[in-house]
Amino acid sequence: MKTIVGLEIHVQLATRTKLFCGCSTDYRDDEPNTHCCPVCLGLPGALPRLNRKAVEYGLKVAKALDMRVPEESEFARKNYFYPDLPKAYQITQYDKPLAVEGTVEIEDDEGHEKIVRITRVHLEEDPGRLVHVAGASKYSLVDYNRSGIPLLEIVTEPDMRSPQEARRFLNKLRTILEYLGVFDGDREGSLRVDANISLEGSERVEVKNISSYKGVEKALTFEVTRQKNLLRRGQTVTRETRHFMEGRGITTSARGKEEEHDYRYFPEPDLRPLRVADRVAEIDLPELPVARKNRFMAQYGISLNHARTLTGDPKLADFFEAVAGVDPVLAATWVADTLLGELNYRDMSIAAVPADRIAELLDLLKSETITDKAGVQVLREMLDACAAGKPCEPPAVIVEREGLARATGGEFTPIVQAVIAANPQAVEDYRTGKKGALNFLVGQVMKETRGRADPRELGRIVSECLDTGGV
Amino acid sequence: MVTESDIEHIAELADIGISKDEVPEFTTQFNAILDYFEVLDTVQGESAPAVGITNVFRDDEPRPCLPQEAALANAGSTEDGFIKAPRVM
Amino acid sequence: MAGTLQFSPDDRYNAFITTCREAPFGDGALAGTAVAVKDNISTAGIRTTCASRILESYVPPYDAHVVGLLREKGAAIVGKTNMDEFGMGTTTETSAFGPTRNPADPSRVPGGSSGGSAAAVAAGLVPMALGTDTGGSIRCPAAFCGIVGLKPTYGRVSRYGLVAYANSLEQIGPMARTVEDVSRLMSVIARYDPHDSTMLDRPYDHQPSAEIKGLRVGIPEEYFGEGVDPRVAGTVRDAIGVLEELGAETVPVSIPGMRHALAAYYVICTSEASSNLARFDGVRYGPAVDTRKSWHEAYQDLRLELFGTEVRRRIMLGTFALSAGYAGRYYAKAQVARRNIKEDFERAFCDADVIAGPTMPTVAFRLGEKTDPLSMYLSDILTVPANLAGIPAISVPCGRVDGLPVGLQLMGRQFEDERVVDAAFAYEQEVRA
């Protein structure tokens, strides 16, 4: 049974001011109702003024997604009553969106390239935020700081075939938006998704208000299971809107008024139409993920997997390029595999890591001053310091203080000899051809030298000692 | 021709209260007005794209916001800097 | 020479909703001049009610652009004038603060919706006032009260701070006893404001001139036809005769789209109003809402209680006209009709420099006379075309019928406010002399 998924993605654009007024968009962590003016509070008589930057950002996205920008675009009022919507209408775009008909390339579940078609993108304003107060008397508290934050709504065709594809699409889209510099994915709530999902031949269900990337896959997976179970039991899927309960990982039906909305759209009389099609040609796009991935492979000689990982986030790609100097392949391995793993473990952002220190660490590794194992130890100390907001010491200082410099051959010959002497059984096993015995002995030496020796080199020395019987 | 139940439905759509005893009068008046509006059926022509000024923009420069007291000054009830509203569900 | 103006008028006609006993003023072209402001124009620190109970205690935290301009030029803002609730009416009887009476005959309405501004000027309480005109709301009361009122070209005066009723139609405009004062006030308020995206930077800097020799005055047959009191039509024809004596020539013109004008106007203004007025929910301003009720229940109850009948009727009409299944028949058709009328005027203005006719089809109604909404709407037939077309239109007193004032309406091309002012000025100077 084929799964059919289409997405509507609401992205907060990273402008300095709101879509229709000069209030700052930097509202997170601030007191409620402190980023407001007559316009975004919807006070009587206030009039919207369109932010040029928001339109430019929208056009940039349109160009990056290879979209067509119609001759004329227009804002409209979407009328509905809700306490977070101060004017009782949302200024959005309806039948004349900013751009139409685009594409995004993703990998399907078999790893093949596939195209997800973009139906349209349009600009609209974010409503305020409601806090629900429970208890004896239930009511809502409203904060209009978010009211008027510019959103770009991106609507796809129903081209995705699994929850995993939907997630890959979102990751790809997010990367493109970050490359364009129009979006800050680290901001809480900066990307929200409504998903349409159906099983082939059945009714479509809309799942609203998914506010994380992981949430999309989770919500859709839940829905696929729920809908399949319904059909298996001989029931039918009802066409409806459902809400995703992030905490419980389930969707629940949103029955009632919400489903019978008549938004009574009409053109916003307080704003003039846009004629911006001819401006698209002037937009200089930055290097986008696919181009950068290809360049990374060509220029640095790194693997497809490393290139893909490194270009998945523009900040990570920039970081890599800052440290790639001495040995790009070494740098790619360390950044894409080791560093990224350590960052994920600590829930840290790459932005918190000083590139110059990592470059120094790569130098120590390249010059074989320290072993890989010691390198990881140094890296962890550095990241722990960064995470704690402490100054990051130069790796050489840490190596010195912790005595992590690579031990040289002569330095550990006595240790090798001691280990051989202390493990006659293993020596005997080795001589009778049991290969595991060598690893055991090397491991014992490693333990004694606290990772300062290179395991391969140690292996060579230990087997030399054993073979020549040079004890 | 709209009926009394249409009028009640329109009031619901407009989210505006209407008292029972108003409904008959509103219905009569609506019908008279809608009869008059029928003249629009004879309008000739297609809607054309908007003309006149286009592309009116503001630069992305932050401006001062209202102080919180001013933003809340006209609200009937507030709590901890929030504006209080009836529950939605 | 900044100072404070003491203002305690004998407001026997109920022209004001709020008066400012001590009105500060500054230097400038209007230094110390008392100006009344219609109560749908925001004034920082002075409550702005739109004559509605729903905004009874609303005090805006900001000034409308025009109010800022008035203060800048030294005017003393002495009060907020009565009006039909949210501008929805032709008589100033739908005000939650009681009707205004017509100083020319207190048993009559002053017209509306800027009836308070017109009455304050006509009664001599202030020399000039601001009104707003969505479908005739400046010109109708000017005509009924025997004063001068100008609805500027759409986009010439900032709407920032004007509590919206029908955004695409309405303009703030000057009202005064003389054309000269209307022109003076216009030159203060017609200044570019980036807050209003529908505005064009076309400041008004004009001294009225009575020289109208060779002016082509278009006479549309539709303005003298059915529904127009023949005595009013005759009075206006006489006034046009005066213009001819001054060297103007008359040409017949036609606005065939007039037959759709009123329906188109009411569909558009109620549609926009249904959206504009939805924000009055008692949450951000207005009385405390009852949080024991659910949102929709509290919202509906509040609007039933605090909006007048005409306001609720228009909100419902507009909601209907925009609703799924009906928008094509009403809203979309009205937009086509509107464009046709605009084109009719453009054609007419090839042959004529201004177009003349009566402002209102009758003289002022008696208080309580218009009880049926449709018959009230029909009286706007001669004023709404200028709003649909976005063109300037002035009403200047041109005689009396039954002892009640009649207004001559002069309409001009877009952004030719100066020309309609000159034509009105020429007429006024001639009949005053």
Side-chain angles (χ1 to χ4, degrees):
Chain A
M1 210 177 322
K2 206 156 85 176
T3 304
I4 301 165
V5 177
L7 301 175
E8 289 172 23
I9 303 109
H10 297 85
V11 173
Q12 287 189 340
L13 294 176
T15 53
R16 296 175 66 203
T17 66
K18 293 184 177 181
L19 185 53
F20 296 119
C21 64
C23 290
S24 156
T25 51
D26 192 12
Y27 66 90
R28 287 172 181 80
D29 306 326
D30 281 341
E31 286 286 297
N33 298 305
T34 52
H35 286 252
C36 300
C37 74
V39 176
C40 56
L41 281 174
L43 289 189
L47 296 172
R49 294 177 69 196
L50 179 59
N51 186 337
R52 181 196 314 274
K53 200 65 155 194
V55 176
E56 284 172 10
Y57 282 0
L59 291 176
K60 227 172 167 180
V61 173
K63 188 166 185 171
L65 305 187
D66 207 12
M67 302 186 78
R68 181 170 68 79
V69 176
E71 194 55 38
E72 186 167 288
S73 167
E74 187 176 69
F75 286 92
R77 290 186 184 181
K78 179 181 184 179
N79 295 286
Y80 65 96
F81 310 95
Y82 216 71
D84 63 5
L85 194 64
K87 299 185 295 296
Y89 57 83
Q90 180 191 34
I91 304 180
T92 176
Q93 297 192 288
Y94 181 52
D95 50 359
K96 294 181 175 180
L98 190 64
V100 296
E101 297 161 13
T103 55
V104 170
E105 203 183 281
I106 62 163
E107 275 175 77
D108 66 15
D109 291 339
E110 280 76 48
H112 304 304
E113 302 284 331
K114 76 172 273 183
I115 296 288
V116 173
R117 290 167 299 159
I118 306 297
T119 317
R120 56 184 275 159
V121 302
H122 72 248
L123 289 165
E124 64 184 26
E125 53 181 345
D126 215 345
R129 186 173 65 96
L130 284 183
V131 179
H132 299 288
V133 178
S137 67
K138 288 182 189 154
Y139 53 91
S140 302
L141 294 175
V142 202
D143 170 15
Y144 292 105
N145 283 347
R146 196 179 73 179
S147 166
I149 298 288
L151 295 178
L152 191 72
E153 179 169 333
I154 302 165
V155 183
T156 78
E157 294 289 317
D159 284 351
M160 285 151 277
R161 292 291 167 266
S162 71
Q164 294 72 30
E165 258 186 43
R167 183 173 179 185
R168 275 197 298 277
F169 169 80
L170 275 182
N171 283 336
K172 185 65 181 285
L173 182 69
R174 173 196 167 135
T175 307
I176 294 171
L177 295 172
E178 286 180 339
Y179 268 67
L180 295 173
V182 303
F183 169 65
D184 182 356
D186 292 340
R187 285 191 186 179
E188 179 207 337
S190 57
L191 182 140
R192 275 126 51 203
V193 180
D194 297 341
N196 287 303
I197 175 161
S198 62
L199 301 177
E200 193 173 28
S202 276
E203 285 289 353
R204 183 163 62 101
V205 168
E206 186 179 20
V207 184
K208 278 201 170 288
N209 273 320
I210 312 169
S211 57
S212 72
Y213 306 88
K214 286 177 197 151
V216 172
E217 192 176 339
K218 254 166 112 182
L220 290 175
T221 305
F222 177 87
E223 266 304 304
V224 171
T225 311
R226 187 186 70 86
Q227 294 182 20
K228 279 186 176 162
N229 283 342
L230 280 176
L231 297 178
R232 196 171 299 137
R233 288 198 296 265
Q235 292 166 304
T236 52
V237 178
T238 332
R239 188 183 180 119
E240 62 174 347
T241 301
R242 299 178 70 86
H243 281 297
F244 180 54
M245 319 291 275
E246 189 101 46
R248 299 167 60 194
I250 62 165
T251 68
T252 57
S253 184
R255 278 184 209 90
K257 240 184 142 72
E258 187 160 352
E259 303 220 33
E260 18 178 289
H261 267 319
D262 179 351
Y263 291 118
R264 307 190 305 282
Y265 288 97
F266 71 97
E268 168 55 84
D270 289 331
L271 291 169
R272 300 301 309 168
L274 293 174
R275 284 179 171 268
V276 288
D278 56 350
R279 300 193 180 188
V280 177
E282 299 158 19
I283 296 172
D284 284 325
L285 288 182
E287 187 184 33
L288 290 171
V290 171
R292 201 170 194 184
K293 178 189 74 188
N294 293 336
R295 176 169 67 79
F296 273 21
M297 291 192 293
Q299 181 179 340
Y300 299 114
I302 64 176
S303 72
L304 170 65
N305 265 340
H306 279 160
R308 200 178 262 158
T309 306
L310 291 170
T311 55
D313 171 355
K315 291 197 273 285
L316 188 66
D318 289 344
F319 187 92
F320 166 72
E321 293 210 87
V323 303
V326 179
D327 184 337
V329 176
L330 180 76
T333 310
W334 274 83
V335 175
D337 300 339
T338 317
L339 176 60
L340 210 53
E342 294 291 331
L343 288 177
N344 285 342
Y345 174 70
R346 288 171 177 73
D347 203 15
M348 264 176 86
S349 157
I350 186 73
V353 184
D356 49 351
R357 292 283 180 255
I358 301 296
E360 289 167 29
L361 176 63
L362 291 171
D363 278 341
L364 296 179
L365 289 158
K366 172 80 177 168
S367 62
E368 302 196 336
T369 310
I370 55 173
T371 62
D372 286 1
K373 191 150 186 224
V376 172
Q377 203 176 327
V378 173
L379 180 67
R380 285 177 180 162
E381 287 218 20
M382 289 162 70
L383 294 180
D384 288 343
C386 292
K390 289 187 211 147
C392 181
E393 289 174 295
V397 171
I398 299 172
V399 168
E400 178 68 30
R401 188 181 64 230
E402 302 292 323
L404 292 170
R406 175 198 286 263
T408 50
E411 202 182 315
F412 46 65
T413 306
I415 301 171
V416 173
Q417 288 170 340
V419 165
I420 289 175
N423 293 280
Q425 185 58 49
V427 173
E428 187 54 36
D429 289 347
Y430 175 78
R431 297 222 160 112
T432 58
K434 286 186 185 157
K435 283 292 160 202
L438 178 64
N439 289 339
F440 171 77
L441 291 168
V442 169
Q444 292 303 302
V445 181
M446 289 287 286
K447 216 154 129 192
E448 294 291 318
T449 57
R450 291 171 41 240
R452 288 157 60 231
D454 180 73
R456 262 170 309 165
E457 195 185 343
L458 261 188
R460 188 176 47 77
I461 294 171
V462 172
S463 53
E464 244 174 52
C465 285
L466 291 168
D467 293 346
T468 55
V471 176
Chain B
M1 187 69 188
V2 295
T3 63
E4 293 190 3
S5 76
D6 291 335
I7 288 294
E8 281 168 347
H9 173 72
I10 296 167
E12 188 61 35
L13 190 59
D15 236 310
I16 203 150
I18 186 165
S19 61
K20 275 278 169 224
D21 46 322
E22 286 178 309
V23 173
E25 198 187 5
F26 264 65
T27 309
T28 313
Q29 290 165 342
F30 251 68
N31 278 314
I33 295 164
L34 294 180
D35 274 351
Y36 183 79
F37 284 179
E38 267 179 23
V39 69
L40 291 174
D41 294 344
T42 66
V43 170
Q44 300 289 316
E46 297 289 317
S47 65
V51 285
I53 42 172
T54 53
N55 301 340
V56 180
F57 296 121
R58 165 182 64 82
D59 289 334
D60 188 26
E61 299 289 339
R63 306 279 306 155
C65 303
L66 287 174
Q68 194 191 48
E69 312 85 77
L72 302 178
N74 281 288
S77 15
T78 61
E79 189 174 298
D80 300 334
F82 290 92
I83 293 173
K84 223 165 145 175
R87 68 187 190 276
V88 175
M89 290 307 169
Chain C
M1 48 154 267
T4 304
L5 194 75
Q6 307 295 322
F7 187 71
S8 30
D10 167 16
D11 188 14
R12 66 180 70 179
Y13 306 111
N14 195 29
F16 285 94
I17 291 174
T18 303
T19 50
C20 309
R21 292 190 166 277
E22 305 209 320
F25 63 87
D27 295 328
L30 294 179
T33 307
V35 178
V37 175
K38 190 176 179 180
D39 210 23
N40 58 350
I41 300 172
S42 302
T43 40
I46 306 173
R47 73 170 179 158
T48 299
T49 69
C50 293
S52 181
R53 285 187 56 208
I54 213 159
L55 288 176
E56 196 168 358
S57 52
Y58 170 64
V59 179
Y62 75 107
D63 268 334
H65 184 68
V66 291
V67 171
L69 291 169
L70 285 179
R71 295 195 204 273
E72 224 172 81
K73 295 295 175 195
I77 291 161
V78 295
K80 305 297 295 290
T81 55
N82 204 0
M83 54 184 284
D84 283 295
E85 186 177 2
F86 285 103
M88 298 180 180
T90 312
T91 62
T92 314
E93 290 171 299
T94 69
S95 169
F97 298 87
T100 297
R101 289 166 187 273
N102 190 332
D105 175 351
S107 72
R108 304 266 172 172
V109 301
S113 64
S114 312
S117 288
V121 170
L125 305 179
V126 288
M128 49 180 74
L130 290 184
T132 66
D133 192 314
T134 309
S137 286
I138 286 175
R139 290 160 289 156
C140 159
F144 280 5
C145 293
I147 65 160
V148 186
L150 170 68
K151 182 204 88 77
T153 298
Y154 186 81
R156 196 128 194 212
V157 177
S158 168
R159 291 184 293 116
Y160 191 73
L162 161 62
V163 183
Y165 158 27
N167 324 52
S168 74
L169 296 160
E170 63 205 2
Q171 279 286 289
I172 295 171
M175 305 173 82
R177 276 191 296 283
T178 64
V179 175
E180 195 170 1
D181 274 354
V182 158
S183 181
R184 267 177 73 204
L185 187 51
M186 178 67 179
S187 58
V188 171
I189 61 172
R191 290 282 174 268
Y192 183 65
D193 173 16
H195 285 100
D196 181 350
S197 301
T198 61
M199 222 192 152
L200 274 151
D201 191 4
R202 296 286 288 266
Y204 177 96
D205 289 294
H206 184 64
Q207 282 291 328
S209 153
E211 178 53 59
I212 58 161
K213 200 168 289 251
L215 185 78
R216 296 172 301 165
V217 180
I219 314 294
E221 52 184 329
E222 295 86 358
Y223 272 73
F224 296 88
E226 196 190 337
V228 180
D229 181 333
R231 298 170 303 164
V232 168
T235 306
V236 169
R237 283 197 190 279
D238 291 346
I240 294 167
V242 173
L243 294 175
E244 286 181 300
E245 284 162 27
L246 290 169
E249 51 174 294
T250 59
V251 288
V253 295
S254 178
I255 311 292
M258 281 282 285
R259 57 191 293 255
H260 300 127
L262 199 76
Y265 169 78
Y266 272 95
V267 166
I268 293 168
C269 76
T270 58
S271 295
E272 292 181 10
S274 70
S275 168
N276 289 325
L277 271 62
R279 74 183 65 187
F280 299 109
D281 55 13
V283 171
R284 274 142 305 125
Y285 25 79
V289 281
D290 189 346
T291 47
R292 285 169 307 181
K293 294 178 184 168
S294 75
W295 162 254
H296 283 279
E297 193 190 351
Y299 185 69
Q300 291 190 0
D301 290 355
L302 182 102
R303 284 151 63 86
L304 171 61
E305 191 190 333
L306 299 179
F307 276 146
T309 311
E310 181 60 24
V311 169
R312 287 189 296 124
R313 181 158 42 236
R314 292 199 193 188
I315 289 173
M316 284 173 60
L317 262 178
T319 301
F320 180 66
L322 284 173
S323 64
Y326 295 95
R329 183 168 174 199
Y330 295 110
Y331 184 79
K333 280 284 184 191
Q335 294 296 346
V336 176
R338 178 179 192 167
R339 202 198 61 228
N340 291 346
I341 289 163
K342 206 170 163 160
E343 287 171 1
D344 286 350
F345 273 103
E346 279 162 14
R347 262 191 302 277
F349 281 123
C350 294
D351 301 324
D353 301 311
V354 297
I355 288 173
T359 305
M360 294 298 289
T362 66
V363 291
F365 328 126
R366 291 184 189 288
L367 281 157
E369 180 182 331
K370 296 274 176 190
T371 50
D372 164 50
L374 182 60
S375 76
M376 169 106 83
Y377 298 172
L378 290 170
S379 63
D380 297 335
I381 180 65
L382 305 181
T383 46
V384 298
N387 300 83
L388 289 167
I391 57 175
I394 197 167
S395 179
V396 61
C398 71
R400 288 181 180 244
V401 165
D402 287 342
L404 292 166
V406 172
L408 163 67
Q409 181 173 209
L410 295 159
M411 292 168 275
R413 297 186 190 104
Q414 217 182 1
F415 294 106
E416 291 193 356
D417 305 62
E418 292 82 352
R419 202 188 287 263
V420 299
V421 164
D422 285 350
F425 184 64
Y427 173 79
E428 180 193 71
Q429 294 302 302
E430 182 62 17
V431 296
R432 282 212 179 154

